[in-house]
Amino acid sequence: MTDCIFCKIVNGEFGTEFVYENEYAVVFKDINPKADKHLLVVPRKHFDSLKELDDEFLLGKLMMTVKEAAKVCEMKSYRTVINTGKDAGQEVFHLHIHVMEGNIRL
Ligand code: AMP
Ligand code: ZN
C-alpha cells in the first residue's frame, strides 16, 4: 500500500535498520519503546490487521520470526502482543507483532 508507513519501512524508504529479516518479515525497533527492548515483527506483505490474514503458513512463519529475532537480540523472556482494531489500541494498520522484554508497559 502506497500510504502505509510500515510498507514504506519494509521497502527501505526510511533507511530503518532491521535487527533481523527473512523472506517473510522484517524486524525493527519500535520508535516509541514500551519496554527495555521492544521490537516489531512486520510481514513484508501488507495486511491491515490479523483479521485480514488468512494464510496459516505465513502466520506460522511470523511466529517463527518472533523466536528468531528474540534469539538474535538475546531476549530470554519476552511478551508478544498483536493489537487488532482501533479499540484494541491498533494505531498502524499494517499487521505487526510487538515483542517486548523488561519493564513492559504495553
Ligand atoms: P500498534 O498500536 O499496535 O498499532 O503499534 C504501532 C507501533 O508502531 C507503536 O508502538 C509505535 O511506537 C510504532 N511505530 C510507529 N511508527 C514507527 C516507525 N516509523 N518506526 C518504528 N516504530 C514505529
Ligand atoms: Zn503496509
Side-chain angles (χ1 to χ4, degrees):
M1 275 180 68
T2 50
D3 60 346
C4 170
I5 188 163
F6 281 3
C7 279
K8 288 180 178 171
I9 288 175
V10 166
N11 292 329
E13 290 183 38
F14 298 132
T16 305
E17 181 195 352
F18 299 148
V19 297
Y20 183 77
E21 64 180 306
N22 58 31
E23 186 180 346
Y24 306 99
V26 302
V27 184
F28 51 88
K29 292 178 183 170
D30 195 295
I31 202 168
N32 182 19
K34 285 96 182 168
D36 293 341
K37 287 185 181 177
H38 187 168
L39 307 179
L40 298 173
V41 173
V42 177
R44 292 185 184 276
K45 186 175 175 188
H46 181 98
F47 300 90
D48 282 354
S49 77
L50 186 62
K51 284 187 282 187
E52 285 72 32
L53 178 61
D54 56 0
D55 181 340
E56 290 176 26
F57 177 81
L58 179 57
L59 183 57
K61 288 295 182 185
L62 292 175
M63 294 312 292
M64 292 305 293
T65 304
V66 168
K67 293 189 356 172
E68 292 157 8
K71 191 171 183 185
V72 164
C73 293
E74 300 180 328
M75 297 165 79
K76 291 190 175 65
S77 181
Y78 51 87
R79 179 180 299 171
T80 51
V81 171
I82 303 175
N83 294 321
T84 305
K86 194 163 171 279
D87 290 344
Q90 186 176 2
E91 293 175 355
V92 176
F93 283 81
H94 178 132
L95 172 64
H96 52 280
I97 306 172
H98 297 263
V99 187
M100 294 164 285
E101 180 180 56
N103 295 309
I104 299 167
R105 302 177 295 280
L106 181 73

